[in-house]
Each structure stands twice: as C-alpha cells, then as structure tokens.
Amino acid sequence: MKLPLMLVLLAATPAIAQDKPVLTVYAGESITSEWGPGPKIEEGFEAFCNCDLRFVTGDELSRVLMEGERTEADIVFGLNTDVTARARASGLFAPHGQDTGDLSLPIEWTDDIFLPYNWGETAFVYDETRLQNPPASFAELLEAPDDMKIVIQDPRSSVSGLALLLWVKSVYGDQAPDAWAKLAPKVLTVTKGWSESYGMFTEGEADMVLSYTTSPAYHIAEEDDTTKRAAIFPEGHYFMTEVAAQLRTTDQPELAQAFMDWILTPEFQTIIPLANWSLPAKLPQDDWPQVMRDLPRPEKTLFYSEDEAEALRQPALDEWLRAFSG
C-alpha cells in the first residue's frame, strides 16, 4: 500500500505548486535579465509569500496603458519619474500605503502611488586607459574635439536617453539647442537602449557612454577593474529613481500589497546595490556596500518633478531631433 500512496503524493506535488497564487509583475529587460535584480527579487519574495512571482518583460508602461483595466499586471516595476505623469493619468494605480518620510534619497518624496526602490544620477562613463584627460565639466564635454566618440541612447525608447534630454535642459535651459549642436558631432551612434550602448563602450568602440554614476561599481566588484569611471560635472547630474506601483485592478490585492510592503525593508534594499547597480532608496549609507560608498558623488543634484518632466519632454525631444537629423 505504501508504493501507491507515494505515487499519489508525487503526482500531487506539481498540482500543489501550480495551485499557488501568481503575482504578475511587468518589468523591463534590465530588471529581469540574469544581470538585473529580478532573479534575486523573485527568489526573495517567493521565500515567504507562498506564491509564484512571474515577471512579464517588455515596455511595461506602454503595455499596461494599452491593456487598461484588462491588464493582467498586479505590479508595474521599474518606471521612473520622467514617465509617471502618464502612468498616474491613467487612473490604473492604487496607493502604496508606505511611510516614505525617511528615505535615503537626495530629494523629498511625498508620492502616495509610486514607491521608489533605488536611485542614482546620469553620467558619462569613460575608460581611463583610453581617455587620459576626460572632460571635467559639461562645458568641457561640449568643447571637446569632435573625434571623441560618445554613445548615447534614444530618448524615445530609453529612460536613460530621456534623462539626458532633461539633464541638458536643466543645465542649459533655452540654450539647450546650442548644447545639442555641439554634442551631436561627437556622438558615434544613438542606440535604442542602454545595453547596446554600454556593450559598445566595453568593447572599446567608444570613449564615453551615457550611463550612471554608479556604473563603475559593477566593474570594480565583479571584474576587479578600476579603469571605468564616471565623469563628475560641477553643473550637476540628473537624478533618477525607479519606482514600483500596484494596479488597482489586481486580482491578488493581498499579494500585491505584501510585495509593496517588502520593497522598503532592509532585506529588499540590500539586494539593490549589487544587483541593480544603483543606490537603495531606504538604507543608511553606512549599510551600503563599500564599493558604493567609495564612488564619487556629484555635489549638485538636478531634478524635474513628473509634471515638469512631462511638460518639457516633447519640446526637449524636438530640440534633440533637430540636432541629430541634420
């Protein structure tokens, strides 16, 4: 009688696993790739949720806006403040219910819908073995010889590319078209996303790449390579934070809330620095990995609110297109 009973139990095991409730999280490829934080986030949440966290990869905002209230997403993960105005206007998202009064961000955060889980600043990263005299300011970058090769991302398809638009706008204001005209001859190519640009840089095809102030940490921690550095400019660097939000249409409201409750815990926040290669939204600096604490930080942080960013997005894009279509 023991063998048939064992067979029954073995047969039942997959069914039990399949019966676990599913939390569907829409996220970008940078989150779900083996180099991103997705695998560790999935493992960490499933360790206590008695559920199956499933990432759906792609352009999470476009997809959820297209699907509307029919969306299967319970959580959208990885938006930033340059696009949250459009997300908020959809009315699809619910309050996160978290206390954000003591975050470790360089800006005040009062948003009750979108919950930050990391932050950083845009920067141009260079290899000191290829570029011995990097520009010491944005002004020096614009005046650098045109044979300097820079790779950037398309602001129409990349959050980092959009951040560069707003960075230039915040530094140069009405003079932004002139800044783009000076920068454009140095741009080797514009890629659709960050990964393509950074790959070209690491393969030695470019002198500088649009990335983040925290990008060198990856090379130091994972490759023992200290030659990659972020050029720190006195004009300031544009702030970026990635956020999560739960859908008000979720059919797993308790799981979705549990996920949101987990984001600001030390367990989640300690995943971020060495998996997302960015700074945690709620973790004292003394608790950051040493490699993050040692990185140079800009003295000035530049930031547009989501309403300001949304108002500036199209005019700034028009200026960019004029510079790069000539």
Side-chain angles (χ1 to χ4, degrees), residues 195-239:
S195 298
E196 302 97 307
S197 286
Y198 211 81
M200 292 180 67
F201 168 70
T202 56
E203 290 170 8
E205 298 182 44
D207 298 307
M208 303 187 86
V209 59
L210 175 64
S211 192
Y212 303 97
T213 55
T214 51
S215 298
Y218 171 82
H219 300 285
I220 298 170
E222 295 293 321
E223 301 172 340
D224 196 25
D225 175 2
T226 60
T227 64
K228 310 300 189 295
R229 298 178 181 272
I232 304 300
F233 295 162
E235 294 96 333
H237 289 245
Y238 193 73
F239 170 82

Side-chain angles (χ1 to χ4, degrees), residues 67-308:
E67 294 173 342
E69 296 193 355
R70 296 176 291 102
T71 184
E72 295 182 357
D74 301 304
I75 299 285
V76 169
F77 192 86
L79 302 180
N80 70 35
T81 52
D82 298 333
V83 299
T84 48
R86 276 176 283 162
R88 192 187 311 278
S90 72
L92 291 171
F93 296 95
H96 53 64
Q98 308 303 307
D99 179 2
T100 58
D102 58 349
L103 300 181
S104 46
L105 305 180
I107 65 166
E108 183 181 10
W109 192 268
T110 58
D111 196 318
D112 65 347
I113 300 289
F114 297 100
L115 186 65
Y117 60 86
N118 74 347
W119 65 279
E121 290 115 343
T122 50
F124 289 96
V125 173
Y126 65 97
D127 182 334
E128 65 178 6
T129 65
R130 289 175 51 90
L131 194 64
Q132 283 80 29
N133 297 298
S137 67
F138 219 127
E140 284 193 17
L141 175 67
L142 299 185
E143 299 300 332
D146 286 348
D147 60 0
M148 175 184 284
K149 297 177 181 177
I150 304 172
V151 283
I152 64 174
Q153 297 92 56
D154 192 326
R156 295 166 293 184
S157 56
S158 163
V159 293
S160 48
L162 178 57
L164 177 59
L165 276 191
L166 299 172
W167 186 11
V168 170
K169 198 67 179 175
S170 62
V171 172
Y172 290 100
D174 293 342
Q175 302 303 311
D178 293 336
W180 285 121
K182 292 180 178 179
L183 186 63
K186 307 177 214 335
V187 174
L188 175 65
T189 190
V190 179
T191 63
K192 183 177 179 180
W194 174 89
S195 298
E196 302 97 307
S197 286
Y198 211 81
M200 292 180 67
F201 168 70
T202 56
E203 290 170 8
E205 298 182 44
D207 298 307
M208 303 187 86
V209 59
L210 175 64
S211 192
Y212 303 97
T213 55
T214 51
S215 298
Y218 171 82
H219 300 285
I220 298 170
E222 295 293 321
E223 301 172 340
D224 196 25
D225 175 2
T226 60
T227 64
K228 310 300 189 295
R229 298 178 181 272
I232 304 300
F233 295 162
E235 294 96 333
H237 289 245
Y238 193 73
F239 170 82
M240 286 187 66
T241 180
E242 291 181 298
V243 302
Q246 58 182 321
L247 278 294
R248 72 173 168 74
T249 53
T250 175
D251 60 358
Q252 296 290 344
E254 293 183 357
L255 272 181
Q257 187 61 58
F259 186 82
M260 299 301 290
D261 292 346
W262 186 50
I263 286 176
L264 295 183
T265 64
E267 181 186 12
F268 182 100
Q269 289 293 301
T270 52
I271 293 174
I272 294 300
L274 300 184
N276 201 213
W277 303 103
S278 57
L279 301 173
K282 187 178 180 180
L283 201 65
Q285 189 167 346
D286 288 345
D287 294 337
W288 297 358
Q290 189 65 46
V291 66
M292 288 294 185
R293 280 186 275 168
D294 290 344
L295 291 177
R297 283 283 329 286
E299 293 186 2
K300 185 177 181 181
T301 297
L302 306 171
F303 177 61
Y304 286 122
S305 69
E306 66 172 31
D307 290 336
E308 292 171 327

